[in-house]
Amino acid sequence: MNYQILLSIFISVFLAELGDKTQLATLLFSSKGDVNPWGVFIASSLALVLSTAIAVLAGTLAQEHLKAIPLKLIAGIGFLLLGVWTVVDYYK
């Protein structure tokens, strides 16, 4: 197993998750006084594991079809659209 690839994946996902809506929602849940912080940690961790498992399964099943698609370009456009949507939603 190539540990450099695993480290690259870890760093990429970790940095992508910092400050995203999921992390902010988790922060807000844990800031409530009536919620157990360990419960928030376990529930949010399991949610992230499940969503990641779905993404890995979808990627594995679609790998033949995705070879011809410029995924970095599509992901970049998707992130830009989400950013524009967030800014527009803020000014509503």
Side-chain angles (χ1 to χ4, degrees):
M1 183 172 289
N2 187 338
Y3 292 106
Q4 286 182 318
I5 292 173
L6 293 178
L7 182 61
S8 174
I9 293 168
F10 175 84
I11 291 170
S12 297
V13 172
F14 179 78
L15 292 176
E17 290 296 323
L18 285 178
D20 76 340
K21 290 179 182 179
T22 304
Q23 188 180 36
L24 295 175
T26 303
L27 184 144
L28 292 174
F29 282 125
S30 64
S31 70
K32 292 183 175 186
D34 61 339
V35 178
N36 183 334
W38 284 107
V40 174
F41 174 76
I42 291 168
S44 62
S45 296
L46 290 174
L48 287 172
V49 167
L50 180 59
S51 66
T52 300
I54 292 169
V56 170
L57 178 63
T60 301
L61 294 173
Q63 68 182 342
E64 287 299 315
H65 303 292
L66 294 177
K67 288 181 181 177
I69 299 172
L71 292 179
K72 287 185 179 181
L73 175 63
I74 293 170
I77 291 170
F79 280 118
L80 287 173
L81 291 173
L82 284 172
V84 168
W85 179 30
T86 302
V87 170
V88 167
D89 189 50
Y90 173 77
Y91 285 106
K92 278 186 177 180

